[in-house]
Amino acid sequence: MVERIEDLNLPNAVIARLIKESLPESASVSKEARAAIARAASVFAIFVTSSSTALAHKQNHKTITAKDILQTLTELDFESFVPSLTQDLEVYRKMVKDKKESKASKKDSSVAESANASATPAAEEAAE
């Protein structure tokens, strides 16, 4: 499990980047405020994960899915998060699909190229 409770915190760099991106450039956030935001975000993530685990367990699932997370957020009165998270999930799934297709097409083209390269000497020998 977890050795120290601090191990459950989100990385400070991630929190700092999120804060920076969501505030105007002229705004500044104290070190204590960043630490409080990081802790709150970590507690929220653990809370949603725990609630989603309970929901999945209730449905006899061993794996938490995105559907479980979205349903949990609705049940916990965070339904205002669901539309934007659903949209982000679709974008993520499309990126993963495109990446897989790109990787597969590169693999197919490299296999075809190597097949052509190895077939060429054999074809030359047969022609002689």
Side-chain angles (χ1 to χ4, degrees):
M1 191 83 180
V2 178
E3 293 180 21
R4 300 174 306 162
I5 194 71
E6 294 84 26
D7 293 341
L8 296 174
N9 289 342
L10 296 171
N12 289 333
V14 172
I15 298 299
R17 187 178 73 235
L18 289 171
I19 292 170
K20 183 179 178 183
E21 290 174 358
S22 61
L23 294 177
E25 288 184 30
S26 60
S28 62
V29 179
S30 71
K31 187 176 181 179
E32 293 84 17
R34 278 195 308 269
I37 292 168
R39 185 69 182 139
S42 297
V43 168
F44 179 75
I46 292 167
F47 177 59
V48 171
T49 303
S50 174
S51 299
S52 297
T53 301
L55 176 67
H57 183 70
K58 227 188 280 185
Q59 298 173 348
N60 293 324
H61 298 156
K62 292 183 179 182
T63 304
I64 299 171
T65 64
K67 182 180 173 184
D68 295 327
I69 299 289
L70 296 173
Q71 186 176 346
T72 297
L73 288 170
T74 300
E75 290 177 5
L76 296 174
D77 293 330
F78 290 105
E79 61 271 345
S80 62
F81 291 5
V82 173
S84 62
L85 287 174
T86 302
Q87 184 179 11
D88 291 343
L89 181 60
E90 290 304 317
V91 169
Y92 171 77
R93 285 178 175 161
K94 185 178 181 333
M95 278 180 17
V96 169
K97 183 180 176 184
D98 291 347
K99 188 175 181 179
K100 280 184 181 179
E101 288 173 355
S102 172
K103 193 174 183 180
S105 68
K106 285 180 184 177
K107 184 177 180 182
D108 290 344
S109 65
S110 67
V111 168
E113 288 174 9
S114 64
N116 288 340
S118 63
T120 304
E124 289 175 1
E125 288 178 16
E128 292 176 2

